[in-house]
Each structure stands twice: as C-alpha cells, then as structure tokens.
C-alpha cells in the first residue's frame, strides 16, 4: 500500500514542485491528509461510519507523507467517524527541524500550530471562526474580508498577522 500511495503522490508532487525552489527551502515537505472508504454495513462494529445518509460502516485512513523523500511516515486506520482533528498532534512526533507541514482545515488546531512553528513551517487554510489581528496587542479582531478589499490587491498579499482569541500566534497571511 505504501508503494501505491507513494507512486500516486509522486505523480502529483513532481508536477507541483518541478519548477519550484520549494524543495530546496525545506528539509522535508510533510503532507497530512485522510480519506474515508465506505465498507459493507455488517462491519459497523469494527469501523463505524458517520451515519445519516453516509455509510453505516467506513474506515478512515490518515497518512503523513514526506514529499521530498517520497515515503509514508505514518498511516492509521480507524473508524470513519473519527475527525481529522484527533490526528492533529501526530505530526509533532514526525517533525525534524526546517520541515514544511501541509494539511487541510480538518487539522486546524492552534496549539498544534504553536508547536510546529518552534522550528518548522506550516500551510493551512484559515478556519472561519478564528480571530485574526494585525498587531499582537490589538483589542479588536480584524474584519479580514473588509481589510483585504480595501487594499485593492492585484497580485496576492503577504502580511504578518496574529491568530487566536487569547494566545495570539504569529503567522503570515
């Protein structure tokens, strides 16, 4: 299974990074993601699904993959109903200095990001309810959409901001 996953991810990553200097900027690029596979209903006791209109039985596969060395660092097989956030801290055991972590919104946990940025980097979508501040000591969060519209951005933006209501984490937006 590891070889199949490595082959499929390699096909995509070669296209993504072949013209990029990203590979030379980081020790490793760690991609963490999961997928859910529906199972026959009679397997619900082993691998319960999400219910509702989803399958009664499902398995979730959570993988941490190193794009630079093309290898699976971790793979977990759990019930399909287990949320991605439960695996958020798993990446911390895999980190080496100067790694880039790429994950989707399901893994968005500020405490985990705080640990990652001690000697590494991450890319994530911003969770909608998260407070964003221009300055660490601002009393009022930024209305991000309004702020960006006022800037009249033509070719993207790169600014330092702080996220989190209480403990403000420095990130780039």
């Amino acid at each position: 299974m590891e070889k199949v996953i490595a082959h499929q991810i390699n096909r995509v990553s070669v296209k993504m990074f072949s013209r990029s200097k990203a590979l030379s900027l980081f020790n490793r690029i760690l991609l963490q993601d999961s997928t859910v596979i529906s199972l026959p209903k009679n397997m619900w006791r082993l691998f319960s699904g999400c219910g509702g209109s989803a399958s009664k039985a499902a398995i979730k596969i959570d993988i941490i993959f190193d794009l630079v060395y093309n290898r699976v660092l971790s793979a977990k097989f759990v019930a399909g109903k287990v949320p991605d956030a439960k695996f958020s801290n798993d990446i911390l055991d895999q980190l080496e200095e100067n790694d880039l972590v790429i994950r989707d919104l399901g893994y968005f946990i500020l405490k985990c990001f705080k640990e990652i940025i001690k000697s590494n980097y991450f890319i994530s979508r911003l969770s909608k309810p998260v407070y964003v501040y221009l300055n660490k000591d601002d009393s009022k969060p930024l209305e991000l959409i309004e702020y960006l519209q006022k800037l009249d951005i033509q070719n993207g933006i790169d600014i330092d901001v702080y996220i989190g209501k209480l403990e403000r984490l420095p990130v780039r937006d």
Side-chain angles (χ1 to χ4, degrees):
M1 181 172 211
E2 180 176 350
K3 288 182 181 183
V4 171
I5 293 167
H7 175 73
Q8 291 300 329
I9 292 177
N10 188 48
R11 288 178 51 206
V12 174
S13 64
V14 164
K15 291 176 186 174
M16 284 175 38
F17 297 112
S18 63
R19 295 181 213 109
S20 171
K21 295 181 182 178
L23 291 177
S24 64
L25 296 175
F26 304 104
N27 180 29
R28 300 178 304 167
I29 300 174
L30 305 183
L31 176 67
Q32 184 175 17
D33 203 3
S34 67
T35 190
V36 177
I37 301 168
S38 294
L39 298 172
K41 284 187 242 181
N42 63 349
M43 296 191 69
W44 71 270
R45 285 192 176 113
L46 289 173
F47 297 104
S48 56
C50 297
S53 62
S55 177
K56 187 172 181 173
I59 188 168
K60 177 175 277 194
I61 306 168
D62 185 80
I63 293 179
I64 300 173
F65 189 83
D66 178 352
L67 290 171
V68 173
Y69 294 100
N70 206 27
R71 64 182 178 196
V72 174
L73 299 179
S74 171
K76 288 188 175 180
F77 300 82
V78 297
K81 68 178 184 176
V82 176
D84 289 350
K86 181 150 176 93
F87 308 110
S88 196
N89 287 335
D90 291 357
I91 197 88
L92 301 176
D93 295 333
Q94 302 294 334
L95 289 177
E96 296 175 4
E97 191 171 343
N98 204 38
D99 285 344
L100 171 64
V101 175
I102 303 173
R103 303 191 294 185
D104 70 15
L105 201 51
Y107 301 91
F108 196 98
I109 305 289
L110 288 175
K111 286 182 183 180
C112 185
F113 290 145
K114 182 180 178 184
E115 291 301 313
I116 291 172
I117 65 172
K118 286 182 178 177
S119 59
N120 299 284
Y121 306 88
F122 72 88
I123 296 175
S124 174
R125 287 181 35 216
L126 182 62
S127 182
K128 200 171 189 175
V130 171
Y131 288 86
V132 178
Y133 300 88
L134 272 179
N135 303 293
K136 189 173 187 173
D137 297 324
D138 286 352
S139 59
K140 189 175 178 186
L142 187 64
E143 294 294 335
L144 193 56
I145 301 298
E146 286 178 26
Y147 178 76
L148 294 175
Q149 288 172 340
K150 288 178 186 176
L151 294 179
D152 190 32
I153 303 164
Q154 300 298 320
N155 296 317
I157 186 170
D158 185 9
I159 58 172
D160 293 328
V161 295
Y162 296 86
I163 59 174
K165 187 174 183 178
L166 301 175
E167 187 174 350
R168 310 227 173 130
L169 190 62
V171 296
R172 296 184 88 157
D173 194 21

